[in-house]
C-alpha cells in the first residue's frame, strides 16, 4: 500500500494478509482515495460475513427495508431518489480521443475535459463517508473470455447489488493476480443531483467514472458500462463481440440442445424469453437460461460462435412479472433478492402492476407514500422497478452457464417493440443480410431510460445506448466476424409487439407461446423445415409454424405475420436517414443491402405483390 493519510479498515477475512497485494491496484486505490478523501476504506472480500454486516448497516441507515422474511427470506426493498430511476442516456458519455471515434450516436467529451470536470466533483466527495473497493469478475472465473474490474463506490446498495450481479471479492482478486489488466471504475452518489450526474467511459483507458446517480445501469459498473460500452470497444480491438443479448439453450423432447442468442432493446422481453416455459403444445421442450441481458461472443477453436454470460445475476424489470407471464422469474426472486422501487404491502410483501392476484386495496407506493386502489391514479410501482437476484436461484439455469468456453450459438435473433410493419418472424438470407437486419432494428422507447416512452427510434442490435465506439465501425466489425466463423449462426428478426390496428391490442399472445416461433427458428437453423422466400427474407409457410391449440383467431396470426410493401418502404426510408449519419464509417455492404431491398420492393410493387402473400 502506498503511503497516504487515510485510515484503512479491512474486512475481517482479509486481515491476515495485506488487503491488496497487486501494486497497480493499490496505487490506483490510493490515488482515488486522495481524490475522494473518504473517512474510511473497506476492501470487499465477497464473504457471507461481509454481506451480513453491510446489509445490517444498510437497514440501519434506511437504505434497505427488510421485507417479510417468512414470505421472502433474505429479501429487501430499496427506494431510489425519485429523480434517479433509470439509465440517463443524455448524461452518458464516451470519452475517446476524438469525437469521430465515439461516432454520431454517442455523447462525446474529450478525455482531459471529462477527467477535469468530474475530477472537481469527485474531489472530497467521500468526506465523512466510506469508500468501498469492490473487485469483481465478469464471466466465469478463469475463463479466457472473462474480464476483471474493480469498482470504487460510496454506496452500500451498489456493493450489495454488485455482489449479486458479478463474481465479487477475493476470487476476482485472485484471478487478477499482479496483472495491471483490470477495469478501473469510480462511482460516487454525491447528492444525487441530476445537474451533477455524469456517466463517463474512457475506452482507451479501460476506465469508467460515474457520479451523481445511485441507480442500476448508471452505477453497477460491471453491467452496461464495462460489459457493453467498454466491452464492445475491447471486442473491436480484440476480435470478439459484446452484445445486449440473452443466451438460451433450447432442448427438444429428444434431448437435442440448440443455443440461441437474442438482442431485444431494454424492457422488450429478454428476461422473459430467456426463462420461458413452453406452452402445453410443446410439452417435452425445455428452455435453459445461460444469460438474460448480455452476451460476450468469440469464435471458438471449432470455428463456431461461442457465447458466455458475463453476469452472475439478473437485474430484471418487475412490472409485468407474474406466475402467469414468467413463473421461473417469480421463483428466482423468492429469496435473496433486492427489490428497487416496487410497492410494499401491509404485511411486508412486494407488489407491482401486473403481479398475480387481486390488486391490494392499500399499499405503500415506490416513493414511500400511502396508495389506495380506489383513490390513487399513479402507478404503485415505478414502471422501471427492478429485482436483483442471483442466477443460481433460477430453476432453469443452464448447467453450461459457467462453461469457460461458452456455448455454441446456432441462431441470432433481433427483436424490437413495434406496433406496425415488422412481422412476427422473418429469417435473413445470409450473414450480411442478417447484420443489415440488426443494423436496421427499430423499437419503441421504454421506461428503462429516462425520456419519452413509446417513440420509435433506430436501435441497431439493441445497442444504441451501449456501443462504446463509432457504430459505423461496429457494423463493419459485425460484417468482418464472418471471416472467422465456419458455421455462421442463422439470423432472424422477431416482433412480439405488433398491435391490432382496430383495437390497439397486441396481436400475438407472446410469452410461452413464443415457443411456436422459436421452434421454427431452431428447425431453420438446423436446416430441416420449410419456409417461403419473400423480398424481405424467409418467412414460415402456413404449415411451418405450429399453431395447433393456439387460442386466437387465425386472422390475427395472418395479420401478425403479414408484410406490407408500403410500410417497409417507409421503414427503409427512415433507415436511410439513420445510415447517412455514419458517413464514411458506414460499410458499403450495408448500404447496398438497403438499396437492394428497396429495389426488390419497387419491382414487386409494379406487379401488385399483395399483403395476402404473407405465408
Ligand atoms: P432489460 O432488463 O431492460 O434489458 O429488459 P428485458 O429485455 O429483459 O425485458 P423483460 O423480459 O423484462 O420484459 C419487459 C416487459 O415486456 C415486461 O413488462 C414484460 O411483461 C413484457 N414482455 C416480455 N415478453 C413479452 C411478450 O412476449 N409479449 C408481450 N406482449 N410482452 C412481453
Ligand atoms: C437495460 O436498461 O437494458 C437494463 C437495465 O438491463 S440497466 O442495468 O439499468 O441498464
Ligand atoms: Mn438490458
Amino acid at each position: 500500500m502506498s503511503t497516504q493519510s487515510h485510515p484503512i479498515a479491512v474486512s475481517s477475512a482479509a486481515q491476515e494478509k495485506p488487503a491488496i497485494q497487486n501494486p497497480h491496484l493499490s496505487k490506483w486505490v490510493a490515488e482515488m482515495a486522495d481524490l475522494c478523501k473518504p473517512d474510511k476504506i473497506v476492501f470487499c472480500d465477497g464473504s457471507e460475513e461481509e454481506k451480513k454486516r453491510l446489509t445490517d448497516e444498510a437497514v440501519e441507515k434506511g437504505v434497505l427495508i427488510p421485507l417479510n422474511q417468512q414470505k421472502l427470506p433474505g429479501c429487501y426493498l430499496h427506494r431510489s431518489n425519485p429523480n434517479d430511476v433509470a439509465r440517463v442516456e443524455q448524461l452518458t458519455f464516451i470519452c475517446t480521443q476524438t469525437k469521430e471515434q465515439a461516432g454520431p450516436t454517442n455523447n462525446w467529451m474529450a478525455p482531459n475535459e471529462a477527467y477535469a470536470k468530474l475530477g472537481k466533483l469527485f474531489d472530497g466527495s467521500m468526506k465523512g463517508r466510506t469508500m468501498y473497493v469492490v473487485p469483481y469478475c465478469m464471466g466465469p472465473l478463469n475463463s479466457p473470455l472473462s474480464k476483471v474490474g474493480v469498482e470504487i463506490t460510496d454506496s452500500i446498495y451498489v456493493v450489495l447489488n454488485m455482489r449479486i450481479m458479478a463474481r465479487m471479492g477475493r476470487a476476482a482478486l485472485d484471478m487478477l493476480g499482479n496483472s495491471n489488466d483490470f477495469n478501473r471504475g469510480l462511482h460516487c452518489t454525491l447528492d444525487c443531483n441530476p445537474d451533477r450526474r455524469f456517466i463517463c467511459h474512457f475506452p482507451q483507458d479501460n476506465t469508467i467514472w460515474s457520479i451523481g446517480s445511485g441507480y442500476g445501469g448508471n452505477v453497477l459498473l460491471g453491467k452496461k458500462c464495462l460489459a457493453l460500452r467498454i466491452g464492445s470497444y475491447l471486442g473491436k480491438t480484440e476480435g470478439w463481440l459484446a452484445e445486449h443479448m440473452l443466451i438460451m439453450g433450447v432442448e427438444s423432447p429428444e434431448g437435442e440442445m440448440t443455443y440461441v442468442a437474442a438482442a431485444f432493446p431494454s424492457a422488450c422481453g429478454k428476461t422473459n424469453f430467456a426463462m420461458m416455459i413452453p406452452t402445453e403444445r410443446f410439452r417435452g421442450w425445455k428452455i435453459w437460461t445461460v444469460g438474460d441481458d448480455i452476451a460476450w461472443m468469440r469464435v471458438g477453436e471449432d470455428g463456431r460462435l461461442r457465447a458466455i454470460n458475463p453476469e452472475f445475476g439478473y437485474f430484471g424489470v418487475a412490472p409485468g412479472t407474474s406466475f402467469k407471464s414468467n413463473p421461473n422469474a417469480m421463483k428466482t426472486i423468492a429469496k435473496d433478492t433486492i427489490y428497487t422501487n416496487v410497492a410494499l404491502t401491509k404485511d411486508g410483501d412486494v407488489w407491482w402492476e401486473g403481479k398475480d392476484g387481486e390488486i391490494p386495496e392499500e399499499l405503500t407506493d415506490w416513493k414511500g407514500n400511502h396508495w389506495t386502489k380506489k383513490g390513487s391514479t399513479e402507478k404503485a410501482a415505478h414502471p422501471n422497478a427492478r429485482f436483483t437476484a442471483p442466477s443460481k436461484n433460477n430453476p432453469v439455469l443452464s448447467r453450461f452457464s459457467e462453461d469457460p468456453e461458452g456455448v455454441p450459438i446456432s441462431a441470432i435473433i433481433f427483436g424490437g417493440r413495434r406496433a406496425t410493419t415488422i412481422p412476427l418472424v422473418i429469417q435473413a438470407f445470409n450473414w450480411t443480410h442478417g447484420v443489415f437486419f440488426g443494423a436496421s432494428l427499430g423499437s419503441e422507447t421504454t421506461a428503462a431510460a429516462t425520456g419519452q416512452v413509446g417513440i420509435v427510434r433506430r436501435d441497431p442490435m439493441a445497442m444504441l445506448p451501449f456501443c462504446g465506439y463509432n457504430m459505423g465501425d461496429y457494423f463493419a466489425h459485425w460484417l468482418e466476424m464472418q471471416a472467422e466463423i465456419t458455421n455462421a449462426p442463422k439470423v432472424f428478426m422477431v416482433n412480439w409487439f405488433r398491435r391490432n390496428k382496430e383495437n390497439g391490442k397486441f396481436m400475438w399472445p407472446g410469452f410461452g407461446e413464443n415457443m411456436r416461433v422459436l421452434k421454427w427458428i431452431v428447425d431453420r437453423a438446423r436446416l430441416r423445415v420449410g419456409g417461403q422466400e419473400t423480398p424481405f427474407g424467409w418467412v414460415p409457410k402456413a404449415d411451418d409454424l405450429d399453431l395447433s391449440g393456439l387460442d386466437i383467431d387465425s386472422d390475427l396470426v395472418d395479420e401478425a405475420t403479414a408484410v406490407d410493401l408500403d410500410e417497409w418502404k417507409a421503414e427503409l426510408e427512415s433507415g436511410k436517414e439513420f445510415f447517412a449519419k455514419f458517413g464514411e464509417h458506414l460499410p458499403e455492404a450495408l448500404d447496398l443491402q438497403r438499396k437492394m431491398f428497396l429495389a426488390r420492393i419497387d419491382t414487386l410493387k409494379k406487379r401488385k405483390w399483395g399483403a395476402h402473400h404473407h405465408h
Side-chain angles (χ1 to χ4, degrees), residues 243-252 256-264 268-279 285-297 304-310 314 325-326 328 394 396-402 406-414 489-490 492 494 496 510-523 525-526:
E243 298 299 328
H244 193 199
M245 289 180 176
L246 67 94
I247 310 163
M248 55 156 63
V250 186
E251 188 178 349
S252 76
E256 172 195 75
M257 191 77 85
T258 307
Y259 290 98
V260 174
F264 309 155
C268 290
K270 289 183 298 302
T271 303
N272 278 272
F273 199 45
M275 297 182 180
M276 184 228 289
I277 296 182
T279 40
W285 287 80
K286 282 212 78 167
I287 302 301
W288 300 99
T289 316
V290 178
D292 83 321
D293 198 50
I294 300 176
W296 282 357
M297 303 192 288
R304 302 195 63 184
L305 196 59
R306 290 189 167 263
I308 62 161
N309 171 17
Y314 310 118
S325 63
N326 191 351
N328 286 324
N394 179 358
V396 295
L397 181 66
S398 163
R399 66 182 189 285
F400 297 104
S401 67
E402 299 254 13
V407 296
I409 299 298
S410 299
I412 289 177
I413 306 175
F414 295 110
K490 302 287 183 276
F492 301 81
V494 301
W496 314 142
F511 303 101
E513 300 291 8
N514 292 336
M515 185 65 219
R516 296 172 190 275
V517 175
L518 187 55
K519 163 101 171 23
W520 185 73
I521 288 174
V522 165
D523 286 343
R526 291 186 172 274

Side-chain angles (χ1 to χ4, degrees), residues 279-342:
T279 40
E280 193 53 22
R281 171 69 191 83
F282 289 88
R283 196 188 299 188
W285 287 80
K286 282 212 78 167
I287 302 301
W288 300 99
T289 316
V290 178
D292 83 321
D293 198 50
I294 300 176
W296 282 357
M297 303 192 288
R298 193 184 287 258
V299 182
E301 306 262 297
D302 55 359
R304 302 195 63 184
L305 196 59
R306 290 189 167 263
I308 62 161
N309 171 17
E311 302 192 277
F312 204 39
Y314 310 118
F315 185 62
V317 178
T321 307
S322 67
F323 278 101
K324 191 160 170 281
S325 63
N326 191 351
N328 286 324
M330 293 303 285
K331 289 176 192 160
T332 303
I333 63 181
K335 62 174 186 186
D336 298 327
T337 295
I338 300 172
Y339 291 91
T340 301
N341 293 342
V342 301

